[in-house]
Amino acid sequence: MEKHSRMRERTAVGGSVYEPPTAQQGGSPADLFGEASRLFAAERYGEVREMLSSLPSLSDASGDASEGAAPPAAHLFRELRYVLAASLVQLGDYEAARAVIARIRESAPEHPGAALQEIYIEKAEGRTRTELAHLKALIAWLEARLAEEPPTGLAVYYRKFLAESYSLLGSALTLAGRAADGVEAFLAASRLEEDGAQSIAEYSNALFALNYVSEGERAPFAGLLAGFDGFFCREDRVPLMFHAHERLRIGYISPDLRHHAVAFFLLPLLRAFDRGRFDVFCYANNREDAVSRAMAQQDGVVWRNILGLSPDDAARLIAADEIDILVDLSGHTSDNCLPVLARKPAPVQITGLGYMGRTGLSTIDYVLGDMVLDADAADVGSERPLCLPHSHFCYLPFVAMPDAAPPPSLTRGFVTFGCFNNYSKVTDEMLLLWRRLLEDVPGARLLLKSRLFGSAEGRELAAERFRRLGLDASRVELRGFSADYLAEYADMDIALDTAPYTGGLTTCEALYMGVPVVTLKGGTHGARFGASLLRNAGLAELVAESAAQYAKIAGLLAASPETLAMLREKQRDILLASHLMNFRRYVREVEAAYEAVWREWEERDARTGR
């Protein structure tokens, strides 16, 4: 399933606890609050629990030692409970968190932090409908408090909670298939957020969510991409010193140098690069796992972990390593490194692999693509298309894959269409097209699998949407996430790709499991990912140029059990022999592109007379 389509999500209280004005008063409660806040900001939630849970005045439900305290002290005890509740939520101890939240509400029924922590619990438990309702109520309450005259003394406090609430609303709306509303919510969070880095992150969230929006709904967001560059100043860029190396120095930077979809596509470039012509550096903005260690141990790879570094410090580190070409692998996905690339720590910068298009940064010179993605793209300004002759990425699975199973229709007597793409990618237009397929193919079923469907409320939201669009919910099976999802391709005859945001790793996995994937070729780089994958997999006949052709291809497959059986038997071999999995050719083509853009930079640099 789609592992790289995700938005940056805030941790409870935006990753840190805001210290209200009264917490600055003296006394041990204030000292304790300060220490708890420091530990929370450092994500040391277990230490917060250990320190605060042992205090009877905070955890004992039979009494409250703070009841007779002076108002400032009573307020601090309440805020200490809030820090404890937020830590418990982060630790996943929701029962204990609810008990602490109940204590907060005894003295402050409308405490916004208590409400927010309850919402985080609802989010974690998949109660998306309840989460949406409570977010809207909390946002209305906070906006009413901020509109009061005279202004409330807690305006900064409330504004921080309001920004966070809008961010959570954006995430929930996008998950529920309302991406355009999600974009608006993220933009509201960005405008409200007074922390500059978080404001950038929320704007980045909006740009990511925009990929889920159908093309017909994108007009109101026409200038959104160009606006991202305005967050950064030329004066913040890192000074670069002239240097010459025997070998080109390539840097890969990402929060996903771990067990993640990006690793599938980066691994060929780490395993097979020409060590006589290139030095490779990896900058991991993530906690590391076994896959990270495997990548770090590749011969000739220099590994740096930049988690926790500021963008300035990370950029200076990259500049000190004298990187010639820096390749961003995450775009606007979660915990991305775009603020680092905005500081231009390398002479040439490229984005690709982990994202589906341009980032909006003027400091990025190229977008890695291919002749399918960028056949008619304009070669102007920044983020120019860097077209490889074949696939823009190479699929190299590093986990054991199950054997392909026979098409289920052979024994069931009906065809099962399916999609394991993130449900956020499923637009109303896509559902209407799938409804048409179900109407055209007697007895056919539709199998959908995504995070939203792991809860009753998520399934109810989807069913309501199906009814609104006239899609017979009785013919649709909804499944949540599971660790053994690859084996579930045995329950699907034909995979249906989404548009305009197509599948990536999901498509590769379906093809490898012998399931044909029908895709609709769009008009932009990102909307052609599926077309590029299928053409480079040797399955160009599964690429549709229109919605009508998409339905026709899927219908013809459904009517041909012999073709489905043949593909289950032969498709993996077709894939293994294709451009999509020829990692040695792929690496040579990428390296040739690196050398070409470096020569172009040297020629341009020479003309400037540096």
Side-chain angles (χ1 to χ4, degrees), residues 485-504:
Y485 70 94
L486 289 170
E488 295 182 68
Y489 280 108
D491 298 329
M492 182 193 304
D493 291 286
I494 301 161
L496 302 175
D497 201 6
T498 47
Y501 190 172
T502 71

Side-chain angles (χ1 to χ4, degrees), residues 398-420:
F398 54 76
V399 297
M401 303 287 282
D403 292 335
S409 57
L410 296 182
T411 55
R412 293 178 178 173
F414 59 85
V415 168
T416 301
F417 297 107
C419 181
F420 286 3

Side-chain angles (χ1 to χ4, degrees), residues 224-241:
L224 201 59
L225 185 66
F228 185 65
D229 203 49
F231 283 96
F232 306 99
C233 302
R234 179 174 289 272
E235 292 74 19
D236 293 334
R237 296 184 184 180
V238 175
L240 296 179
M241 303 296 292

Side-chain angles (χ1 to χ4, degrees), residues 46 53 73 118 134 137-138 158 160 225 227 234 242 288 324 603 609:
S53 294
E118 287 179 325
H134 287 170
L138 177 58
Y158 289 162
K160 180 73 174 177
L225 185 66
R234 179 174 289 272
F242 174 77
E288 297 178 7
D324 298 311
E603 292 168 2

Side-chain angles (χ1 to χ4, degrees), residues 234-563:
R234 179 174 289 272
E235 292 74 19
D236 293 334
R237 296 184 184 180
V238 175
L240 296 179
M241 303 296 292
F242 174 77
H243 48 73
H245 308 122
E246 180 182 353
R247 295 179 293 273
L248 267 182
R249 293 190 179 183
I250 310 298
Y252 295 105
I253 183 169
S254 175
D256 300 321
L257 301 184
R258 53 190 175 85
H259 193 282
H260 185 274
V262 166
F264 283 86
F265 304 125
L266 177 62
L267 199 56
L269 295 170
L270 300 186
R271 282 187 175 174
F273 74 91
D274 187 336
R275 278 128 178 107
R277 293 156 55 206
F278 300 91
D279 291 320
V280 168
F281 292 67
C282 288
Y283 300 92
N285 187 40
N286 52 264
R287 291 185 175 85
E288 297 178 7
D289 58 16
V291 175
S292 305
R293 292 188 289 275
M295 289 192 288
Q297 290 167 5
Q298 297 297 312
D299 181 44
V301 172
V302 179
W303 189 268
R304 313 269 196 227
N305 192 298
I306 60 171
L307 183 65
L309 293 185
S310 70
D312 284 327
D313 289 342
R316 283 192 288 268
L317 173 63
I318 294 166
D321 283 337
E322 299 182 353
I323 298 300
D324 298 311
I325 300 175
L326 182 63
V327 185
D328 163 57
L329 305 177
S330 57
H332 285 286
T333 60
S334 178
D335 300 319
N336 66 70
C337 300
L338 293 179
V340 180
L341 280 92
R343 286 151 173 83
K344 194 66 171 177
V348 177
Q349 299 192 152
I350 301 170
T351 188
L353 297 188
Y355 191 58
M356 65 297 299
R358 297 171 60 216
T359 68
L361 279 184
S362 60
T363 55
I364 293 181
D365 305 287
Y366 301 96
V367 177
L368 187 66
D370 59 45
M371 298 307 294
V372 176
L373 296 180
D374 305 300
D376 51 6
D379 188 8
V380 295
S382 61
E383 298 193 284
R384 291 171 286 165
L386 179 58
C387 293
L388 300 182
H390 296 104
S391 177
H392 70 293
F393 60 41
C394 177
Y395 175 54
L396 185 62
F398 54 76
V399 297
M401 303 287 282
D403 292 335
S409 57
L410 296 182
T411 55
R412 293 178 178 173
F414 59 85
V415 168
T416 301
F417 297 107
C419 181
F420 286 3
N421 290 6
N422 188 331
Y423 180 69
S424 300
K425 296 182 178 183
V426 181
T427 63
D428 283 2
E429 290 83 355
M430 211 72 239
L431 284 173
L432 289 171
L433 182 52
W434 293 349
R435 185 190 75 179
R436 173 179 169 183
L437 266 177
L438 292 181
E439 292 170 348
D440 290 347
V441 180
R445 301 290 191 272
L446 178 62
L447 170 61
L448 302 181
K449 186 175 179 68
S450 193
R451 176 161 68 99
L452 181 69
F453 309 142
S455 70
E457 287 196 13
R459 294 188 294 273
E460 288 168 7
L461 283 172
E464 288 175 3
R465 189 180 181 200
F466 298 161
R467 286 193 291 271
R468 174 172 60 82
L469 295 173
L471 179 62
D472 184 355
S474 69
R475 298 174 69 183
V476 184
E477 181 183 355
L478 303 177
R479 297 183 187 177
F481 277 176
S482 60
D484 62 346
Y485 70 94
L486 289 170
E488 295 182 68
Y489 280 108
D491 298 329
M492 182 193 304
D493 291 286
I494 301 161
L496 302 175
D497 201 6
T498 47
Y501 190 172
T502 71
L505 178 62
T506 313
T507 298
C508 294
E509 290 173 337
L511 294 174
Y512 200 81
M513 294 305 299
V515 180
V517 180
V518 182
T519 194
L520 177 59
K521 181 182 177 182
T524 63
H525 176 105
R528 293 177 176 177
F529 260 48
S532 172
L533 286 172
L534 287 167
R535 289 188 183 280
N536 283 288
L539 297 164
E541 61 274 12
L542 299 178
V543 178
E545 300 286 341
S546 66
Q549 189 180 16
Y550 180 104
K552 181 179 179 181
I553 293 170
L556 288 172
L557 283 171
S560 178
E562 298 84 2
T563 300

Side-chain angles (χ1 to χ4, degrees), residues 57-61 64 67 78 81-82 84-86 88-89 94-111 113-115 117-118 121:
S57 59
L58 296 183
S59 58
D60 182 6
D64 191 338
E67 286 178 353
R78 187 164 57 243
R81 286 197 183 95
Y82 171 54
L84 176 58
L88 292 167
V89 169
Y94 303 136
E95 183 178 355
R98 286 191 180 95
V100 177
I101 290 168
R103 295 299 311 284
I104 296 171
R105 290 194 180 282
E106 289 174 7
S107 58
E110 295 184 315
H111 192 284
Q117 294 312 312
E118 287 179 325
I121 294 171

Side-chain angles (χ1 to χ4, degrees), residues 205-219:
N205 276 341
L207 285 171
F208 186 90
L210 185 58
N211 292 289
Y212 296 123
V213 177
S214 64
E215 292 177 346
E217 295 182 280
R218 292 187 180 184

